[in-house]
Amino acid sequence: MDTKSDLPTPRLPFPPVTRSHILHCSYHSWYPKYRSLTPKARLIPLTASFLAYLRADGILLPPEENDHDPYFSTETDSGIFSSTSTPTGSPSNSDSDSDSDIDPSLSWPEIHSAIAATIAELGGNVVPKLNWSAPKDATWINATNNMECRSPNDIYLLLKSSDFITHDLEQAFDGCSSPNPSSKNDSGSSTTVPYHLILRKTIPALATSLEFRCFVRARTLICICQRDLNYYDFLPDLTGTLRPQIQAFFEENLRGTFEDENWVFDVYIPPPHRRVWLIDINPWAPRTDPLLFSWMEILGMSVPGKHEDSAEDMNGAVNGDAADAGSGSEGSDGESTEEEEEEVFTPEFRLVGRNDPEAYSFNTPQYSAHKMPKDVVDASGDGEAGLREFMGRWREIVREQEEGERDEER
């Protein structure tokens, strides 16, 4: 008799995820069209040499003019180096010296200069991302414990420490049913993807409680939910304002202009809740987090004007003939048709409830699978001095363990 664990996991009824759909959701693809709808940003096309730097093991940073402790970052066991010279009279190690003397930006000076200039242009504080992902899982390594960057090295450190960025570089097209027919390289390497570094001007006093994820199926906005999975007692009272704002934004700007019929987009509606900002566009694919919904739930939601018993509809695909027939059909008289056209579909708006598990601090921290131990995060919050002290304690612990193992072998 099969136990519950032996039963096969039900397969999500997704339509085929194509390479072209993934590319349509790349920031560089949709940003020119929706530039006026997004917070201020600049896109820097990336060269093969810079992409090779991001893919390389270890973290080697260019020198910084304002580095007050230039020799701290040459600690070999941290895996992080800054290309500074060894202090006079200090013992040298040929391996570490060869690493620390290299300035990686010499291979991509135009990228390094463009990043520095863009940071200055955007007010000295930016948030980075690549085509699809931001390094949210690597904020533990940033001195500010967030994604705000004030120097090129802040950006390099976040990008090279992030699993999300690695996914963009190496696995962008994982799960796609078929490659782009015109492409000779199906792996998503730099020869087929126009990689860009996106630097967005930091939004002052960003209220994550007012960020929302919106799901579009067959060009219909079917549901909306919070992105920040915490309970906010003021949000239920704002539903009557936020939902029509998002609906109007979608109808006026996105519904008929995005290339695909199914996709996910994120918005931000800061006080006084009169303007909707487009933050990102995500693939209609299992890789996109449905947050307060499940993908099985979303794929089973009804869409106005579609026959839900159709296998294609259940998969989220668009049956153009059925849609056209439905929109062009007439009832027994013209009056009934007008009544049907006047019906307005209202997407579900889901918030974290007071008694939901997400509302309590004992739930799993976001991106916890990608983060470092708490001791490392706490040390990074104290700046270089904190990290130096932590690394010294760690080396002492390792040394004692090694000595204990040698004693046992004797």
Side-chain angles (χ1 to χ4, degrees):
M1 180 177 179
D2 291 336
T3 63
K4 183 177 180 180
S5 60
D6 295 330
L7 296 176
T9 303
R11 186 177 175 218
L12 288 172
F14 264 97
V17 180
T18 63
R19 180 189 178 91
S20 62
H21 175 59
I22 300 298
L23 287 173
H24 291 160
C25 296
S26 172
Y27 201 99
H28 86 281
S29 176
W30 59 261
Y31 176 75
K33 186 185 303 182
Y34 303 127
R35 181 172 182 172
S36 63
L37 309 176
T38 67
K40 192 172 184 179
R42 294 291 181 265
L43 279 65
I44 301 175
L46 299 181
T47 60
S49 57
F50 185 79
L51 293 174
Y53 166 72
L54 292 183
R55 290 186 170 104
D57 293 335
I59 301 177
L60 180 64
L61 301 177
E64 287 193 19
E65 295 179 1
N66 297 326
D67 192 351
H68 299 294
D69 191 1
Y71 310 117
F72 164 65
S73 60
T74 61
E75 297 287 355
T76 56
D77 58 354
S78 70
I80 304 175
F81 299 91
S82 179
S83 53
T84 56
S85 59
T86 304
T88 304
S90 298
S92 64
N93 178 287
S94 59
D95 292 337
S96 62
D97 288 348
S98 62
D99 282 333
S100 60
D101 289 341
I102 298 172
D103 180 356
S105 67
L106 294 178
S107 298
W108 27 271
E110 68 287 359
I111 300 294
H112 189 65
S113 299
I115 291 173
T118 302
I119 293 174
E121 178 192 354
L122 296 180
N125 199 332
V126 299
V127 175
K129 70 171 293 178
L130 284 195
N131 296 42
W132 297 277
S133 304
K136 294 181 179 180
D137 58 321
T139 54
W140 58 269
I141 204 168
N142 200 1
T144 57
N145 280 328
N146 57 34
M147 289 200 301
E148 295 181 12
C149 296
R150 296 173 176 80
S151 72
N153 276 8
D154 291 344
I155 294 171
Y156 307 147
L157 192 58
L158 278 178
L159 296 180
K160 287 188 66 67
S161 303
S162 171
D163 289 343
F164 294 173
I165 297 303
T166 300
H167 183 277
D168 275 16
L169 294 173
E170 308 295 343
Q171 301 169 302
F173 301 105
D174 277 10
C176 289
S177 60
S178 59
N180 188 332
S182 62
S183 171
K184 297 181 180 179
N185 188 332
D186 303 340
S187 62
S189 68
S190 58
T191 59
T192 58
V193 177
Y195 280 106
H196 287 70
L197 173 64
I198 295 91
L199 298 181
R200 295 186 284 196
K201 182 179 178 65
T202 298
I203 301 176
L206 174 70
T208 58
S209 58
L210 294 169
E211 291 184 292
F212 303 95
R213 177 152 291 181
C214 311
F215 300 84
V216 179
R217 182 170 161 221
R219 298 201 181 277
T220 301
L221 179 60
I222 60 173
C223 55
I224 306 165
C225 71
Q226 286 176 240
R227 289 188 68 194
D228 183 349
L229 302 183
N230 289 290
Y231 171 70
Y232 296 96
D233 57 3
F234 64 87
L235 280 181
D237 293 336
L238 289 176
T239 302
T241 299
L242 298 175
R243 177 161 40 199
Q245 284 269 37
I246 296 173
Q247 282 183 278
F249 175 82
F250 169 71
E251 293 290 338
E252 295 170 8
N253 301 292
L254 302 178
R255 182 174 186 176
T257 57
F258 191 67
E259 289 87 343
D260 299 313
E261 298 191 325
N262 308 317
W263 76 95
V264 180
F265 66 95
D266 298 327
V267 296
Y268 176 53
I269 314 178
H273 317 299
R274 294 173 184 167
R275 176 162 186 177
V276 179
W277 291 98
L278 178 64
I279 300 299
D280 210 352
I281 292 179
N282 309 287
W284 183 270
R287 71 179 68 179
T288 299
D289 192 343
L291 299 173
L292 295 178
F293 297 96
S294 70
W295 271 117
M296 186 63 76
E297 182 181 11
I298 294 171
L299 293 170
M301 289 182 177
S302 62
V303 177
K306 294 181 66 64
H307 302 288
E308 295 306 318
D309 56 349
S310 164
E312 286 186 326
D313 292 329
M314 183 60 187
N315 283 342
V318 177
N319 186 333
D321 294 338
D324 292 341
S327 61
S329 62
E330 296 183 0
S332 57
D333 52 49
E335 184 177 344
S336 61
T337 303
E338 293 177 0
E339 290 177 356
E340 291 177 1
E341 291 177 351
E342 290 175 359
E343 292 181 3
V344 178
F345 177 77
T346 302
E348 179 176 353
F349 198 124
R350 188 169 294 183
L351 304 174
V352 176
R354 184 187 300 272
N355 297 319
D356 291 347
E358 293 86 355
Y360 298 95
S361 59
F362 56 74
N363 63 328
T364 303
Q366 198 172 24
Y367 315 123
S368 60
H370 308 273
K371 292 184 178 179
M372 292 292 285
K374 183 177 184 298
D375 290 343
V376 179
V377 179
D378 292 342
S380 68
D382 295 331
E384 293 181 356
L387 281 173
R388 188 187 303 109
E389 180 182 355
F390 175 81
M391 290 162 61
R393 293 199 309 267
W394 180 255
R395 285 196 298 269
E396 182 65 22
I397 292 172
V398 171
R399 184 184 62 78
E400 292 176 355
Q401 288 178 342
E402 291 175 346
E403 290 178 354
E405 290 174 357
R406 285 195 294 267
D407 292 340
E408 290 178 1
E409 291 175 357
R410 293 173 188 169

